[in-house]
Amino acid sequence: MFYKIKEVKPLPEYNLLINFVNGECKQYNVASLFNKFESFKTLSNVKGLFEQVQVDSGGYGISWNDDIDLSCNELWENGRVVDYV
């Protein structure tokens, strides 16, 4: 099952606030991926890149560029439920 994304907002310390189409809101910390995937280190090395996050067409993921993206399922399964801010 896919959990489509409606909106994503960058937060301090490499956190994302993800608002899903079904009304659920989750927070996801991207910093945990810096040591797992080389491409994600770019988000901490290039000033302003992290803030350029956007929802992919159709809402099935988010991306920063052609090399750095996350699926809606990753964000849903590993995000922490929060009240929508």
Side-chain angles (χ1 to χ4, degrees):
M1 179 172 190
F2 291 103
Y3 298 94
K4 291 176 74 170
I5 300 166
K6 180 178 180 181
E7 179 182 28
V8 61
K9 291 183 182 178
L11 299 173
E13 299 180 22
Y14 302 104
N15 285 292
L16 297 171
L17 182 66
I18 303 104
N19 185 15
F20 291 87
V21 172
N22 67 1
E24 191 82 38
C25 190
K26 295 195 177 193
Q27 186 172 328
Y28 184 93
N29 185 275
V30 178
S32 63
L33 302 176
F34 292 170
N35 292 328
K36 289 183 178 181
F37 304 103
E38 190 68 32
S39 61
F40 279 89
K41 287 183 184 178
T42 307
L43 295 175
S44 66
N45 296 335
V46 177
K47 185 176 177 156
L49 180 60
F50 180 74
E51 290 74 22
Q52 294 178 24
V53 65
Q54 56 189 334
V55 178
D56 290 343
S57 180
Y60 294 104
I62 61 169
S63 62
W64 288 268
N65 58 33
D66 289 340
D67 298 320
I68 309 170
D69 58 23
L70 289 168
S71 72
C72 58
N73 287 351
E74 168 65 19
L75 298 167
W76 179 266
E77 292 169 12
N78 296 305
R80 180 176 55 89
V81 176
V82 295
D83 292 329
Y84 183 75
V85 179

